[in-house]
Amino acid sequence: MQDRLTETDQRLPMYQRVKDALTQRLAEGEWSRAEPLPSETVLAAEYGVAIGTVRKALEGLVAEGLLERQQGRGTFLRRPSFGNALFRFFRLSDGSGAIVPPRARILSRTIGQDEERARTLGLNPAAPLLVLFRERSIQDRPALVEEIALDAARFQPLSTLPLDAFGDLLYPLYEEVCGLLVVRAAETIRFSQATPPIAAALNIPTGTATAVIDRIAYGIDARPLEWRRSHGEAARFNYTIDLR
Amino acid sequence: MQDRLTETDQRLPMYQRVKDALTQRLAEGEWSRAEPLPSETVLAAEYGVAIGTVRKALEGLVAEGLLERQQGRGTFLRRPSFGNALFRFFRLSDGSGAIVPPRARILSRTIGQDEERARTLGLNPAAPLLVLFRERSIQDRPALVEEIALDAARFQPLSTLPLDAFGDLLYPLYEEVCGLLVVRAAETIRFSQATPPIAAALNIPTGTATAVIDRIAYGIDARPLEWRRSHGEAARFNYTIDLR
DNA sequence: GAGTGGTCTAGACCACGGA
DNA sequence: CCGTGGTCTAGACCACTCC
């Protein structure tokens, strides 16, 4: 057990090496979300370090959003909460005020090449990509259209899954069907105008102001998993951030 | 020295009480940015706790962005870096590519009442507000217009300061002239269209798409200090965020 | 009651910065 | 060189969850 750390750089602080080792085990799916990690005491024994060192490693992983700790219960793999949070950007309380879960529908699925997006995903420029077009609507009114690019190799099961089996959220699907866990995402917001296809999909006039959000979602191993571009009507856009 | 903690809630964890006490001393301006806080050892002795407890309090304040620590040098009050970061939202590399510091010009200064904004600032609705209109430009081209509301009482020195003495950045001014330190801010982004006065100030046609950013800046005591609404051309808007 | 994480202590040694 | 924060240890007791 103890030599699990020997491969990592000896110059790094102990807690960092423990953290790296745990990250790798998390990435390999060693623990589900229902099942707690070994306790601090056990981990300390496994790695041959003091409990405080394990604690520091765990706290780091909590800070990075990989783990959740709960007193009396244990330490768990965290479920990222931004999965459907794109809708955080848009006003949801359309009329009734009740928060309705947005419905998703896959408009098309193709496999092809795209040099630029493959590069963005950290792949060989010629790598085949699985490309989805997706509509998300609230109360049967289209609110967003999304273009999604995935590594066709890693997401192979999705290329045969029936389109109506995709459900409303993709990230749980990635996890269940492909064993890939989204941990972090970076988004870029900018402003544009609806091109004819976008306008048609959103049911708004061509040229209407839109907000465009590009997202790159990263897996537990910090490599890009998904590229996504979402279009929505600018008038419905509303976003809040905290600065320090 | 040791009884400095007696006023705080006895049920709170020790490190929390130390943290609260330090926050208050920071808010009172006990340490400048050049001068380090007392060392961990000294603080531990002052508060009668173990060094690890002080460390946990300090780490919390670092996480909140109030402090910076540097090995071998000491622990320092942090200078928030978002002061001129509104321009993070907009494409700066206009032509030349070189990053030019944006110039600011105060267009007007008035004192008046505004119930809603006073409430936003946590003031009595009838409290007098100091309202500034400000233009910010890059290479002599207006890029942003801002409306800024402040508590006239707390920012009293600003009501008589010559308009051309305001400089390009307000937060250092708040600190130097009023002794008020901005620590955190919350921003809301939305898209709109330029009204005639905004269009005139930005030198764009009325009705052009704009990005509107509302900001509330908070002081070290976590109370709102400043309300600000910035308008810029939407086509120049570009913003990146990280989600977890 | 048994086991978990949360708080707290009291030390040791190391790495870095500055005089 | 001394003093700083950074790392690490080895315990203690408490608060919480679950059976």
Side-chain angles (χ1 to χ4, degrees), chain A residues 117-129 150-152 154 223:
Chain A
R117 276 163 210 172
R119 249 191 269 275
T120 307
L121 287 170
L123 304 173
N124 183 307
L129 299 180
L150 305 165
D151 177 1
R154 297 181 84 184
R223 284 169 48 205

Side-chain angles (χ1 to χ4, degrees), chain A residues 78-203:
Chain A
R78 175 168 172 258
R79 180 172 303 276
S81 54
F82 59 85
N84 60 348
L86 236 187
F87 277 77
R88 206 164 36 97
F89 293 163
F90 290 86
R91 281 184 272 272
L92 276 173
S93 52
D94 250 13
S96 74
I99 289 181
V100 197
R103 302 303 303 266
R105 189 163 62 93
I106 306 287
L107 303 176
S108 79
R109 169 177 57 190
T110 54
I111 293 192
Q113 296 186 345
D114 185 311
E115 207 172 306
E116 191 190 334
R117 276 163 210 172
R119 249 191 269 275
T120 307
L121 287 170
L123 304 173
N124 183 307
L129 299 180
L130 182 66
V131 176
L132 303 173
F133 280 88
R134 190 164 171 253
E135 172 199 86
R136 306 185 75 179
S137 44
I138 301 170
Q139 294 174 333
D140 294 323
R141 184 183 162 204
L144 278 184
V145 277
E146 301 180 317
E147 183 187 353
I148 295 161
L150 305 165
D151 177 1
R154 297 181 84 184
F155 288 87
Q156 210 273 326
L158 291 190
S159 60
T160 51
L161 189 74
L163 290 188
D164 54 8
F166 271 73
D168 289 335
L169 295 175
L170 287 181
Y171 293 171
L173 195 67
Y174 296 167
E175 186 183 349
E176 287 158 26
V177 179
C178 311
L180 295 169
L181 202 57
V182 172
V183 163
R184 197 177 71 77
E187 300 193 322
T188 301
I189 303 169
R190 65 175 204 280
F191 161 89
S192 183
Q193 288 168 333
T195 58
I198 298 292
L202 288 175
N203 197 20

